[in-house]
Amino acid sequence: MDDEPIVRWYWIGDHLGYLGNLLADHAVIALLPVLIGLLLAVPLGLACARFPRLYQPLSAVFNIVYALPSLAVFVVLIPYTGLATQATVMIPLTFYALAVLLPTTVDGLHAVPDSVRQAATAMGYGPWHRLTTVELPAAVPYLIAGLRVAAVSSISLASVGALVGRGGLGYLFVDGFQRTFPTPIVAGIVLIAVLALAVDLLLVGARRLLAPWAVREKGAGS
Amino acid sequence: MITFEGAGKRHPDGTIAVEGLDLEVPTGRITVLVGPSGCGKTTLLRMVNRMVEPTSGRVLLDGTDVAQLEPAKLRRGIGYVIQQAGLFPHRKVIDNIATVPYLLGWDRKEARARAAELLELVGLAPETAKRYPFQLSGGQQQRVGVARALAADPPVLLMDEPFSAVDPVVRAGLQEELLRLQSELHKTVLFVTHDIEEAVRLGDQVVVLREHGRIAQLADPHTLLTTPADDGVAAFLGRDRGLRGLGLRPASAVALRPVGDGLRYGGWELALDDAGRPIGWIDRTAVSAELHPAAGFRPETDTLRTALDAVVLSPAGVAVALDGDGRATGTASRDAILAALTPTGATAVGGIDANADESSDTNVGTGPDANAGAKADAKTTVSTRKALAADGTGEAGTTDRVGGPEGSDGGR
Ligand SMILES: Nc1ncnc2c1ncn2[C@@H]1O[C@H](COP(=O)(O)OP(=O)(O)OP(=O)(O)O)[C@@H](O)[C@H]1O
Ligand SMILES: [Mg+2]
């Protein structure tokens, strides 16, 4: 790579359409699992808040899943989902997203001050009714903080999927490395960073819109 | 009426919170539960709306055992106010207040109109409606909490140390506001506090509790302060209970010397401006005509405690009686005030009664007193209360002005 420049601009110019396709592919592979994770985390989180005994075993399971190296999980799944299918990459990513989102959901539901919970009960809310109409809306800032972490790490993890055939922008790394040609690698890094930043900004905007009452950075980083 | 019949609560871990309590909480009155921390006040309160189920005995609401009522339905008919207000952080003030009407299935518009009414009733500005709870001061949040509890017009109100988390000035404003509301609404109020001052100020009857919810004394505030049941209650009431009792009696009992009869007391002379408002005391025996501040009280609205305070503050030992515009209507010497302090003095009692009768027409709803012996005392309390409430509108306004800018600067 010694006399090869870091970026050859003409290559980027020639491959704009190709890069665009990879970016779209990457966004779907990385973010669809986060969305599915959210749709699973909310009911599971509500159940854990309602029946606290569920939480310990469930969070243990997801923690273990989270600890597994992503590449190993991809490889293990290949016999069932086939090489180069989106499912091979998206199934583990869904579990990773869930592993982040379940605790943040439960934390958010628990973060409602006790006085609020008691006031709701005293006004005649039943436990489920209270969870869905008081605690869940109040947990939105936590959910969004969790989504920011889950989305960014999913965008980063999805590139590993290129090693098993589907990885969106991750393919640029494999390609560049095999050809000792750094331009696609740089393009991939930049596009991943841009995607992560865009999604993060979108989520911050969503929080402003959905939880205008949470001025402080509630639950950020948790 | 709320009736506790041998009500007790023993927790699964063996802790006895309350044991065999018998108590009647009369309709349309404020009953205050006061006692040391952990004596079971909150437990008692929550037995009424079934947030705590008694393990022995029962609690009746207008003759019906609450255990037979569906909790959600029961609770929507009972207002509940707590120390931390417990407002929903994600809902605007107006929707917080309308919570129970929404739950009862009211039309959205109707519920909001009702909430707006209540906002005004508790003395909050209309623009508060669109704010979120975090944008309000503690005192304002508490007002919203009270408004929310009153939204569906429940006949019963449970209040668990509702004003203990705010500073003393705001607390006094909230207490006056509650008395003003109560004089209009006549709710059956069960109010918990561990502040004896608050208890005697608000209560039609005060229940002093000791551990395990045992009643040490049940009495109207005046009786409680003058004749505590035992040394334990006396100790709980504190050393200055006599002075505190003066805060329950109207200053109108003081015999005044009319302004026309002269303004000289010994070497001191009260100077008035053209409108008849006091400027200060002048020491005629001194060379300089220096003015010393003249402390005054308003016989129609103040209590004997204020009158006594004015006499103590005055260099001449004379308190100046003022009318609503701050004009001097008369003076009261130290002796005149001391005469009014003596509870058995014929002058004092006469003065109190005259005042109570004068003002009772505007206060119909308080109803007759069950206990004839306590009648004079109760009347005294009622008229003082009204006086305090009338005075309180001014003070409450001040509170709001203090709270306003604090709330409007937003992102604290
Ligand atoms: N869930 C519970 N389990 C065991 N003991 C309890 C429980 N709830 C309350 N207690 C005990 O019951 C007693 C009465 O409690 P309660 O909350 O009614 O007191 P309180 O008079 O309201 O006190 P405070 O003034 O501090 O609010 C206390 O000794 C408390 O420790
Ligand atoms: Mg308590």
Side-chain angles (χ1 to χ4, degrees):
Chain A
M1 274 196 198
D2 286 346
D3 42 1
E4 179 66 25
I6 298 285
V7 180
R8 286 194 185 277
W9 294 102
Y10 76 87
W11 186 88
I12 291 175
D14 286 351
H15 294 82
L16 279 181
Y18 169 67
L19 290 174
N21 285 340
L22 285 182
L23 181 67
D25 202 24
H26 195 99
V28 171
I29 291 172
L31 298 178
L32 199 58
V34 177
L35 188 68
I36 298 169
L38 177 68
L39 294 178
L40 293 173
V42 169
L44 278 177
L46 287 171
C48 289
R50 179 77 182 85
F51 308 107
R53 278 175 196 198
L54 281 179
Y55 186 50
Q56 275 309 324
L58 266 180
S59 68
V61 168
F62 286 113
N63 269 334
I64 291 166
V65 171
Y66 198 60
L68 298 176
S70 50
L71 187 56
V73 180
F74 293 147
V75 172
V76 168
L77 275 175
I78 287 172
Y80 306 98
T81 54
L83 192 65
T85 65
Q86 294 200 347
T88 315
V89 182
M90 283 169 41
I91 290 173
L93 289 184
T94 303
F95 279 97
Y96 291 144
L98 200 47
V100 172
L101 290 173
L102 182 64
T104 47
T105 307
V106 175
D107 283 353
L109 294 171
H110 284 164
V112 175
D114 209 37
S115 59
V116 174
R117 216 169 277 133
Q118 280 170 17
T121 306
M123 285 186 289
Y125 280 86
W128 278 115
H129 189 198
R130 197 190 67 199
L131 268 174
T132 50
T133 55
V134 180
E135 275 139 301
L136 188 58
V140 164
Y142 286 81
L143 272 174
I144 291 181
L147 278 175
R148 289 174 66 184
V149 175
V152 170
S153 63
S154 191
I155 287 169
S156 153
L157 275 175
S159 24
V160 182
L163 297 173
V164 294
R166 284 307 287 255
L169 295 167
Y171 182 71
L172 294 173
F173 304 146
V174 180
D175 181 37
F177 187 71
Q178 282 168 352
R179 293 199 284 149
T180 336
F181 179 40
T183 302
I185 298 179
V186 173
I189 290 172
V190 169
L191 285 175
I192 281 177
V194 166
L195 181 62
L197 197 70
V199 169
D200 200 50
L201 284 176
L202 217 65
L203 285 169
V204 171
R207 204 193 62 155
R208 290 247 168 91
L209 206 71
L210 295 175
W213 45 270
V215 196
R216 281 150 294 186
E217 282 278 297
K218 267 197 186 163
S222 67
Chain B
M1 181 159 67
I2 306 167
T3 317
F4 293 86
E5 279 185 3
K9 175 69 185 179
R10 173 193 279 269
H11 286 282
D13 66 359
T15 319
I16 295 170
V18 174
E19 205 171 27
L21 176 97
D22 293 304
L23 175 68
E24 278 193 0
V25 180
T27 304
R29 295 305 191 89
I30 300 181
T31 298
V32 178
L33 302 176
V34 65
S37 186
C39 70
K41 305 180 293 292
T42 299
T43 307
L44 274 174
L45 208 65
R46 290 185 176 182
M47 282 182 180
V48 179
N49 69 1
R50 294 192 62 188
M51 283 171 79
V52 167
E53 302 283 359
T55 46
S56 60
R58 48 185 204 153
V59 180
L60 309 175
L61 189 60
D62 293 325
T64 313
D65 187 346
V66 292
Q68 288 167 359
L69 303 168
E70 202 230 313
K73 222 169 152 191
L74 170 75
R75 288 169 190 165
R76 281 166 205 173
I78 300 178
Y80 189 69
V81 187
I82 48 179
Q83 188 178 339
Q84 248 53 48
L87 302 180
F88 296 164
H90 62 289
R91 288 203 189 154
K92 290 182 177 163
V93 165
I94 191 97
D95 294 317
N96 257 292
I97 298 176
T99 304
V100 178
Y102 289 154
L103 286 172
L104 290 170
W106 292 25
D107 172 68
R108 200 172 173 80
K109 241 182 167 166
E110 213 182 323
R112 286 194 158 190
R114 170 72 182 151
E117 242 173 68
L118 279 156
L119 199 66
E120 200 190 322
L121 189 71
V122 298
L124 287 170
E127 55 269 24
T128 319
K130 294 186 290 285
R131 298 217 194 126
Y132 285 102
F134 82 92
Q135 294 168 309
L136 305 182
S137 71
Q140 290 171 323
Q141 290 190 23
Q142 238 6 292
R143 280 168 199 259
V144 176
V146 172
R148 182 172 67 173
L150 291 170
D153 205 16
V156 177
L157 213 52
L158 305 176
M159 308 182 87
D160 196 348
E161 305 197 24
F163 309 146
S164 354
V166 293
D167 70 69
V169 176
V170 175
R171 188 182 314 148
L174 288 167
Q175 288 167 347
E176 273 147 20
E177 203 76 13
L178 178 68
L179 290 173
R180 185 182 61 75
L181 284 174
Q182 175 65 357
S183 71
E184 287 172 29
L185 304 174
H186 313 298
K187 301 290 180 193
T188 305
V189 182
L190 193 52
F191 189 106
V192 164
T193 179
H194 50 232
D195 175 5
I196 187 67
E197 186 106 36
E198 183 166 73
V200 297
R201 188 156 189 207
L202 298 179
D204 291 304
Q205 65 173 20
V206 177
V207 185
V208 181
L209 295 170
R210 42 179 70 121
E211 67 285 2
H212 302 335
R214 270 195 280 269
I215 297 180
Q217 186 167 11
L218 189 163
D220 67 273
H222 183 72
T223 310
L224 182 71
L225 288 171
T226 50
T227 46
D230 55 40
D231 291 348
V233 176
F236 186 72
L237 295 173
R239 296 195 111 173
D240 53 350
R241 65 185 159 89
L243 282 177
R244 261 188 210 144
L246 296 180
L248 296 172
R249 298 166 55 195
S252 56
V254 177
L256 299 177
R257 174 184 178 194
V259 169
D261 291 2
L263 294 167
R264 267 198 97 124
Y265 282 84
W268 293 96
E269 183 168 358
L270 182 65
L272 302 178
D273 67 8
D274 292 343
R277 285 185 287 258
I279 310 171
W281 291 98
I282 299 167
D283 186 355
R284 289 297 179 203
T285 62
V287 190
S288 77
E290 193 194 338
L291 283 167
H292 299 262
F297 67 101
R298 288 163 205 248
E300 296 313 314
T301 54
D302 282 337
T303 65
L304 280 179
R305 199 171 176 172
T306 317
L308 182 64
D309 192 50
V311 134
V312 171
L313 287 173
S314 163
V318 175
V320 185
L322 305 168
D323 67 9
D325 299 320
R327 283 188 293 261
T329 56
T331 51
S333 68
R334 200 175 278 144
D335 286 347
I337 289 186
L338 284 180
L341 298 188
T342 320
T344 49
T347 344
V349 172
I352 295 167
D353 264 333
N355 175 266
D357 287 337
E358 243 170 55
S359 46
S360 58
D361 52 339
T362 50
N363 202 25
V364 183
T366 34
D369 286 291
N371 184 336
K375 192 160 186 173
D377 290 331
K379 268 193 173 173
T380 309
T381 316
V382 167
S383 59
T384 311
R385 175 113 17 104
K386 269 198 328 118
L388 285 171
D391 191 35
T393 19
E395 269 195 56
T398 320
T399 309
D400 272 341
R401 255 173 273 131
V402 173
E406 220 182 278
S408 55
D409 65 11
R412 270 172 303 121

